[in-house]
Amino acid sequence: MTHTYFIQGMSCDGCRTKVEKTLNSLEGVQATVSLDPPQAVISMQKHIALPVLQAALSKAGKYTISTENTPQNTKVHGGHSANHQHAAHHSPASSTPLTPSSKGTYYCPMHCEGDKAYNAPGNCPVCGMNLEKLPELAVPSQYTCPMHPEVFSNTPGACPKCGMDLVPLMPSETNDNAVYHDLRKKMIVATAFTLPIFLIAMIEMIPHNPLLQLMDARYWNWLQMGLSLPVIFYAGWLFFERGWRSVTSGNLNMFTLIALGTAVAFVFSVTGVISPGIFPPEFRTEHGSVPLYFEAATVILTLALLGQLMEAKAHTQTSSAVKELLKLSPTDATLVRNGKDEKVSIHAIQPGDLLRIKPGDKIPVDGKITEGESSIDESMITGEPIPADKKEGDAVTSGTINGNKSFIMVAEKVGSETLLAQIIAMVNTASRSKAPIQKLADTISRYFVPTVILAAVITYFMWLKWGPAPGAVYGFINAVAVLIIACPCALGLATPMSVMVGVGKGAQSGILIKNAEALEAMARVNVLIIDKTGTITEGKPSVERVFTKQFDETQALAYIAALNQNSEHPLAQAVVNFARNKNVSWPQAKDFEAITGKGVTGTVEGKKIALGNKALMTTIRAQIHPDIEQSIIEEQKQGKTVSYIAVDAVVIGFVSIADAIKPGSKAAVAELIDGGMEVMMLTGDNENTAAAVARELNLTNFRASCLPQDKLNEIKRLQQSGKIVAMAGDGINDAPALVQANIGIAMGTGTDVAIESARITLVKGDLQGIVKAKKLSHAVMKNIRQNLFFAFFYNALGIPVAAGLLYPFFGVLLSPMIAAAAMSFSSVSVITNSLRLRSKKI
């Protein structure tokens, strides 16, 4: 079980770490703690009372834990506000001033009444024109770091750990564009002032410098310093802010290196202009002048800024899957009230409301068709391109698009309960989760920056001692190059960028992945266990016939319908529907009991009725006539599911139920086996029916008559033998096995309990989804390994070259400006490689 608690008393990351460590020290507890919002998500094997948690935290410090958020800690977290606001209904007559903070308001495009606005759609009372809706302002978003998903902030800014730009938890065009446009403006300023500095520095290298004919070198130096000020103190100032923050917080990162390298170059150059006499001879050229590095400092910052700009642009593409999902939700709907249609905001829809869906409309909420029929494009949810035919009684999903017919539906799930909302929430959560493979990169990143600074210091002194004259100048330049070329960001982004794109790709293909760990584990799965009903088969059983021996068939049908009328099991519903279609009425049942994995029992009109499998008949010690037994075996050999009917402990007949195999099941199983995966079917059905289904699928490995505990034990046995097991199921009885398996895969057409227990959910609910999930996980892991290799290779090669490794052999030195360009493009290259996943065919 998993619960969310609120923590008071944390003021820094050290507090957060202490609280997390304390909670994880409790037996059976796995906790993840975030500082902002100040909350702990705790998974526990059995319920642990709040006082026990509080006692542990009290020993660690002045921390308090509670189930409710306090006013001072009230923040938006996990997509929900601590204080829920209910939408109010207003008539067009009630108006509010039109202000930038107005949400969902309507105004006259002619401004007949000035700034007057209305809370509902309608017509202008003055000119009669349709009121226009203001663009709906986004809910205040929280921001997180793409490298450190545990970091939260209510405002945009830089990550306190790595200094990267925080990205919104819920992507939106507004947030992305604001960051991009701000960086673009700074990039223009930086380029405008850096270019003349660079040209001045380059022309100085020409023999008989033509610039000296215009004015003395001293004045050109002062001009370079003046031109560098806007670059240092405006366009590139963000690097110094983040660098300083990284030092004060103890989280050294890429910005530490950039800030240190450029600050040293700039201060050195300013001192060289204002007071050149203070430099010792080691720092002077053969002409006696002090070399200046304004062009190096400004070009480094400009190229680093270019990298940030390109990264911001690329970030908008990594979250494009969520943006596309957000676009699927319409802003309003047509409510049918008292026989009349009226436009309402989707936030005003309540369960039970009737909605008219017109041709081409997006379906606003989850529900069922009550009147009419249509073809609905569900490709954006299931990944299947062919429209699904829907008729009265069929379920429809928010975000899907109606075809060319109109129908009326009843709203069942609204707001955050709709499938679309859950998909968006799951994709956002999974995108922020860490894959186990990232631990390696995190460990290296922790020691990376101190190691690079040490390497820069060693580089300086090695050039000072063994380099050519002036050794101090060579050492200084190469030390700066070492600081600038190192890129911990490439390491940090290698995994999360691939995960974010991969999870989005999965959502667009109808595969919902709960976290990055599931994505990684799926690639290693070598055994797949599948349930039969609802997984291999349609899960929509229908009664073919009711057979009785020396007992009235209609009476037997009435008894078993009475027994099943309160059950939601698919087989029970099939029996009730069959009785209803036969116009059979049934009495009330008493003492109803559902026996997991066996069937149901109860009392009807004073008789003890039992309906279930052979195990149930054995439990109640029912007598079975040999002729009935033989008829049952014949039915089972045809792949039918058979339930025994017993009256007062005597089997009087059976119900034969058919459940068609899903069209794609056979091809999916064959593809998985060809890919090297061992596929095993575990079913609660009898041996004969299981064998018939296994023959149809060419499966040689199956077990029949499995209770939930049997499935659980089989998974444990396989895991103990070293297998990585995935379990696919759709029912409540599959939940224990789904939790035990390394990867639980739920059919989206199944029960909420199964979906909650699983780590991967297939929206369409067929085995082809498992094939897609396997291909996707392989593609993502391959992409992550490529990113990590590139990041390691880049840093392993770049740092020694920057230090001057090639100089003794080829006389080649790496300019700090070239190092800055390489550093900027390294992290962009990682993101670009991750984006290739979007075009991957699965």
Side-chain angles (χ1 to χ4, degrees), residues 202-220:
M202 293 303 103
I203 293 173
E204 283 179 350
M205 297 181 183
I206 300 173
H208 310 295
N209 183 356
L211 293 178
L212 295 180
Q213 297 176 14
L214 298 175
M215 59 181 179
D216 189 70
R218 187 160 50 95
Y219 298 113
W220 285 111

Side-chain angles (χ1 to χ4, degrees), residues 103 225 295 393 662:
K103 185 177 179 182
M225 186 176 79
E295 87 286 354
K662 292 177 181 177

Side-chain angles (χ1 to χ4, degrees), residues 8 63 174 176 280 295 317 409 487 511 536 548 657 683 728 814:
Q8 279 184 275
Y63 306 113
T174 306
D176 292 332
E295 87 286 354
Q317 296 171 17
M409 64 172 284
C487 190
I511 305 161
I536 295 173
T548 58
I657 300 172
T683 177
L814 193 67

Side-chain angles (χ1 to χ4, degrees), residues 10 29 42 102 106 122 340 423 430 439 564 586 642 655 670 738 809:
M10 297 189 298
V29 166
I42 302 178
S102 299
Y106 296 80
K340 294 182 179 180
I423 290 173
K439 290 178 182 176
N564 282 316
W586 55 84
V642 178
V655 181
L738 289 169
F809 308 102

Side-chain angles (χ1 to χ4, degrees), residues 693-707:
V693 173
R695 277 195 304 274
E696 180 71 21
L697 298 177
N698 296 322
L699 265 180
T700 56
N701 204 353
F702 70 91
R703 279 186 58 188
S705 304
C706 289
L707 297 174

Side-chain angles (χ1 to χ4, degrees), residues 269-609:
S269 302
V270 169
T271 309
V273 171
I274 298 173
S275 304
I278 69 170
F279 286 96
E282 291 84 3
F283 281 92
R284 297 179 182 275
T285 64
E286 56 187 8
H287 301 295
S289 61
V290 177
L292 304 179
Y293 300 104
F294 289 117
E295 87 286 354
T298 54
V299 169
I300 287 168
L301 289 177
T302 302
L303 289 172
L305 203 56
L306 177 63
Q308 293 292 298
L309 184 69
M310 294 174 69
E311 216 170 284
K313 188 70 173 175
H315 267 303
T316 66
Q317 296 171 17
T318 60
S319 57
S320 62
V322 178
K323 288 179 196 163
E324 290 303 313
L325 290 170
L326 287 169
K327 290 177 185 176
L328 295 177
S329 180
T331 56
D332 47 35
T334 304
L335 177 69
V336 180
R337 181 179 290 164
N338 300 325
K340 294 182 179 180
D341 292 358
E342 58 178 283
K343 281 277 186 186
V344 296
S345 166
I346 61 164
H347 303 300
I349 299 173
Q350 300 295 325
D353 283 351
L354 293 178
L355 306 170
R356 187 181 303 281
I357 310 299
K358 298 174 183 177
D361 279 359
K362 290 177 182 175
I363 294 171
V365 295
D366 294 356
K368 284 183 180 175
I369 296 177
T370 58
E371 185 183 318
E373 59 182 34
S374 188
S375 292
I376 294 177
D377 180 4
E378 297 181 327
S379 58
M380 62 292 297
I381 300 292
T382 65
E384 294 298 320
I386 301 172
D389 292 331
K390 300 283 185 176
K391 60 184 185 302
E392 194 172 311
D394 286 347
V396 289
T397 306
S398 60
T400 55
I401 301 173
N402 186 24
N404 54 11
K405 293 182 180 178
S406 180
F407 63 86
I408 294 176
M409 64 172 284
V410 61
E412 292 183 339
K413 293 183 178 179
V414 301
S416 61
E417 294 182 356
T418 65
L419 176 62
L420 179 61
Q422 290 175 12
I423 290 173
I424 291 169
M426 188 179 285
V427 170
N428 269 314
T429 301
S431 297
R432 299 195 309 273
S433 61
K434 284 190 178 184
I437 196 172
Q438 194 175 341
K439 290 178 182 176
L440 174 64
D442 286 348
T443 303
I444 292 171
S445 295
R446 196 176 308 137
Y447 303 104
F448 186 86
V449 175
T451 304
V452 170
I453 294 173
L454 180 63
V457 172
I458 292 171
T459 298
Y460 174 78
F461 284 106
M462 287 182 70
W463 278 93
L464 185 64
K465 184 172 178 60
W466 293 295
V473 173
Y474 276 107
F476 175 77
I477 291 295
N478 290 316
V480 170
V482 168
L483 290 173
I484 297 303
I485 200 168
C487 190
C489 264
L491 279 172
L493 289 170
T495 301
M497 287 298 101
S498 296
V499 168
M500 184 182 293
V501 178
V503 167
K505 175 76 175 176
Q508 291 175 326
S509 305
I511 305 161
L512 306 182
I513 299 158
K514 193 166 279 187
N515 52 44
E517 190 178 351
L519 195 60
E520 181 176 336
M522 188 66 196
R524 296 184 285 110
V525 166
N526 48 30
V527 177
L528 172 66
I529 292 176
I530 48 179
D531 181 40
K532 180 180 77 70
T533 304
T535 304
I536 295 173
T537 64
E538 293 283 2
K540 298 175 182 176
S542 58
V543 174
E544 292 211 333
R545 67 179 182 130
V546 175
F547 173 86
T548 58
K549 186 175 180 66
Q550 299 176 350
F551 200 93
D552 182 63
E553 249 181 57
T554 303
Q555 187 65 48
L557 183 55
Y559 283 160
I560 60 176
L563 206 58
N564 282 316
Q565 63 182 328
N566 295 321
S567 174
E568 293 183 359
H569 193 282
L571 297 181
Q573 290 299 306
V575 170
V576 172
N577 290 337
F578 186 75
R580 190 176 289 122
N581 292 337
K582 292 281 187 181
N583 295 319
V584 173
S585 58
W586 55 84
Q588 289 293 317
K590 298 178 181 177
D591 306 323
F592 174 83
E593 182 182 2
I595 303 170
T596 305
K598 294 182 180 180
V600 292
T601 62
T603 304
V604 182
E605 294 182 341
K607 298 181 183 294
K608 291 186 177 179
I609 311 298

